[in-house]
Amino acid sequence: MKNCIAQPRRLFFLFQYALIVLLLGACAGPDLSTGHDYPGDTERGGFLSLFLNLQEEQSPPVRMELRAIEVLADPGSWQPLTPGTTFIDARTIAGGQIFLARGLLQPGNYSRIRLLLKESSLLHQDGLAALAVEQDAIELALPSSLYLDAGDSHSLFLTWDVSASLQDGPSLNPVLRIAPRLKKMIADAAYVSCPEINTVFMIRTDRNRVYDSMGVSDRPMYLFSSPVAPEENLFALTVSQPGIKRIGPSVNSVIESYRLPMTGEATHMTLDPDGRLAYIVDGERGTVMRMNLESGHVEERVRLGYGPVYILYLEKRNLLAVSLTLSQNVALLDPDTLANIGMISTGSRPAGMMVLNDLLYIAEEGGNSVLVYDLERNRMWKRIPVDFSPRRILAADGYIYVSNYDSRSISLLRPGQLGVTRNIPLPGAPLELAYVSTSRWIYVGNEGNNSISVIDPATSTVAGHIPLGARPGGIAVINR
């Protein structure tokens, strides 16, 4: 590999380093350090999230306006989950699910939910017709008392029977119930981290709905499913206190936590094919380290410099590929020694990568393009223009998907072709990508929309959205 991969001209890059850092500050992705709207110390309280489904996929077009949503804490005080008015429109829910409310609550037992209804209406051909409100307070007992501890993140799920809620008059008497919590892991599930609220959500991939959540401290940014026993080994890379947490999906809790010896921020991570070693990037210090996940010890560390942002294990080549955003290169490392074997010269700000048929696809964020590098022949094969700020790449169902952060779109490529097949527009900024092989969905972390966008590969269109009420981070799919 050495003879055909250009080495960086270090003096040139050292001269430009300070200027590039300043320029990148204006182009970087959103800062997650101060993004949430929840007052107080999250380490001293827990989050309670509320979601709403419909009893029927086709229901009357009823709209409700709630003055408040509250939860009853022992020994008898109502705590607000919403800061103000909440609107619920049955037409926007249909067969899906909406995020309703979230509150940061003090530790303790909670037993009831109360919705304070302000007004309601029914859509007719001539417009909205007001419905009389038979009761302005709907109280629902939880199936079992909920204990919320510091650092917890629980979710509750309401089901609204719209047809049964309509009374003669016309008037509305909302019929709602709280679904009991599932006792075991769903067969096929996706896990999504939301670092701003220290939460990992669980999604039913057969129905594209959130079905549970758990609290994971220290801002879990990325999730990685182990190739060995994934139902027991889901790893979260945390950034406020750099570390790795091992989550047991079958028990919905953090099993082990490992601290990373770094003063910067953990930027990205990848696992070896056995799921025994983790390779972590410290973008601020410009280092890559290898951690043994069986012992929790860091075994090797190397300093690359030049702002590493993404790391990928190339299993066939037994190499690590690391995007160096400040030097416009991808470094190739020996996974055993972390020795730098060579460099692949790229366009501006290389970011996410993906390998398919011995071709390495590299998102060039600053160049609005995807570089395709032939690993067998050790040369660039082609460069494909895409939309603005490509960040992540995924291969699935015979296509290649590229998330374009600034243009709010997904570019669809065909392997072997020289251009974009089509662009799929999204309502928010897309970042992380994951493939649900059993249901054949593409999940897109939609940061601008606080949701997971669901793309149907058969039609190359957006099939729906899974609202989270918080900015999504990493996505991991586990099939049992």
Side-chain angles (χ1 to χ4, degrees):
M1 303 292 291
K2 295 181 182 179
N3 59 343
C4 54
I5 302 173
Q7 293 291 337
R9 292 177 291 178
R10 297 186 179 277
L11 291 178
F12 174 77
F13 290 120
L14 287 173
F15 175 77
Q16 290 192 330
Y17 187 87
L19 176 61
I20 295 173
V21 171
L22 290 175
L23 291 174
L24 283 177
C27 303
D31 178 14
L32 294 179
S33 60
T34 58
H36 67 69
D37 298 321
Y38 302 99
D41 186 352
T42 58
E43 297 302 318
R44 297 182 181 176
F47 283 108
L48 180 61
S49 301
L50 198 61
F51 294 84
L52 177 66
N53 312 316
L54 294 187
Q55 179 73 30
E56 310 163 288
E57 290 192 11
Q58 301 296 327
S59 63
V62 174
R63 186 174 183 267
M64 292 193 298
E65 183 177 344
L66 305 178
R67 290 188 290 111
I69 302 175
E70 301 171 328
V71 58
L72 182 62
D74 292 344
S77 61
W78 289 98
Q79 305 296 319
L81 284 180
T82 55
T85 302
T86 301
F87 296 94
I88 303 175
D89 190 336
R91 295 171 299 168
T92 65
I93 308 172
Q97 180 185 76
I98 62 169
F99 167 76
L100 200 57
R102 176 174 295 121
L104 179 63
L105 304 173
Q106 293 296 313
N109 287 300
Y110 295 86
S111 58
R112 301 181 75 84
I113 292 285
R114 181 167 70 179
L115 291 80
L116 302 179
L117 187 59
K118 182 178 181 181
E119 59 183 42
S120 65
S121 56
L122 177 66
L123 180 66
H124 288 285
Q125 291 182 348
D126 299 329
L128 291 174
L131 295 171
V133 176
E134 292 198 358
Q135 55 176 336
D136 61 1
I138 304 102
E139 286 192 24
L140 302 170
L142 302 187
S144 58
S145 181
L146 172 67
Y147 179 74
L148 198 65
D149 203 353
D152 280 349
S153 185
H154 291 295
S155 295
L156 295 175
F157 302 89
L158 298 180
T159 300
W160 180 21
D161 190 335
V162 183
S163 297
S165 302
L166 288 172
Q167 308 292 319
D168 293 335
S171 63
L172 186 75
N173 183 20
V175 177
L176 298 132
R177 62 181 175 83
I178 300 178
R181 189 173 183 182
L182 295 174
K183 299 296 185 182
K184 58 182 180 179
M185 176 185 173
I186 293 294
D188 300 305
Y191 292 74
V192 181
S193 64
C194 290
E196 292 174 330
I197 56 171
N198 286 338
T199 296
V200 171
F201 285 106
M202 290 80 97
I203 295 172
R204 290 187 59 154
T205 59
D206 59 339
R207 305 186 69 183
N208 292 328
R209 292 185 182 182
V210 175
Y211 75 89
D212 208 343
S213 64
M214 71 178 84
V216 179
S217 61
D218 301 328
R219 291 176 58 216
M221 183 64 71
Y222 295 109
L223 297 175
F224 300 89
S225 173
S226 173
V228 178
E231 66 277 6
E232 300 297 336
N233 295 285
L234 178 67
F235 296 98
L237 180 66
T238 61
V239 293
S240 64
Q241 293 289 336
I244 298 174
K245 296 185 187 295
R246 184 166 74 92
I247 298 169
S250 61
V251 294
N252 287 348
S253 64
V254 175
I255 299 172
E256 292 180 288
S257 297
Y258 305 119
R259 293 290 299 272
L260 289 169
M262 62 170 65
T263 57
E265 183 174 284
T267 309
H268 198 250
M269 187 180 95
T270 190
L271 299 174
D272 77 331
D274 297 326
R276 188 179 64 87
L277 300 173
Y279 298 88
I280 306 102
V281 169
D282 180 346
E284 183 176 331
R285 294 290 176 180
T287 61
V288 174
M289 63 187 71
R290 186 180 73 232
M291 173 180 277
N292 187 316
L293 293 173
E294 295 176 346
S295 65
H297 294 147
V298 173
E299 299 176 334
E300 294 287 345
R301 186 199 308 251
V302 64
R303 188 175 190 278
L304 299 176
Y306 306 113
V309 295
Y310 194 93
I311 185 167
L312 177 69
Y313 199 107
L314 308 178
E315 184 175 356
K316 181 178 178 179
R317 296 282 161 180
N318 193 32
L319 291 172
L320 295 169
V322 184
S323 299
L324 304 177
T325 189
L326 298 182
S327 70
Q328 299 182 182
N329 284 277
V330 167
L332 297 177
L333 309 182
D334 184 312
D336 296 323
T337 64
L338 299 187
N340 191 340
I341 293 176
M343 297 283 186
I344 298 174
S345 180
T346 71
S348 176
R349 302 207 311 273
M353 296 175 286
M354 182 272 299
V355 67
L356 178 66
N357 298 329
D358 224 16
L359 295 175
L360 180 62
Y361 291 75
I362 305 169
E364 298 176 319
E365 184 179 359
N368 304 324
S369 56
V370 171
L371 173 68
V372 186
Y373 190 87
D374 190 329
L375 294 168
E376 175 67 29
R377 295 175 176 83
N378 299 327
R379 67 186 184 190
M380 185 186 85
W381 182 42
K382 60 183 176 180
R383 177 173 277 117
I384 305 172
V386 292
D387 267 0
F388 299 123
S389 301
R391 300 275 290 273
R392 298 291 186 264
I393 309 176
L394 173 74
D397 260 20
Y399 286 95
I400 296 169
Y401 297 81
V402 183
S403 62
N404 304 303
Y405 193 86
D406 286 341
S407 62
R408 300 189 171 194
S409 68
I410 299 292
S411 288
L412 197 60
L413 313 177
R414 274 275 196 189
Q417 293 185 352
L418 299 177
V420 173
T421 300
R422 68 178 298 174
N423 285 316
I424 305 171
L426 293 174
L431 188 55
E432 302 302 327
L433 301 168
Y435 179 51
V436 183
S437 59
T438 53
S439 305
R440 297 187 62 195
W441 301 118
I442 306 296
Y443 280 0
V444 183
N446 198 326
E447 291 194 349
N449 202 34
N450 289 344
S451 69
I452 298 297
S453 294
V454 183
I455 294 178
D456 183 353
T459 61
S460 299
T461 58
V462 177
H465 302 278
I466 307 170
L468 303 174
R471 191 164 17 181
I475 310 171
V477 178
I478 297 179
N479 301 317
R480 299 187 70 186

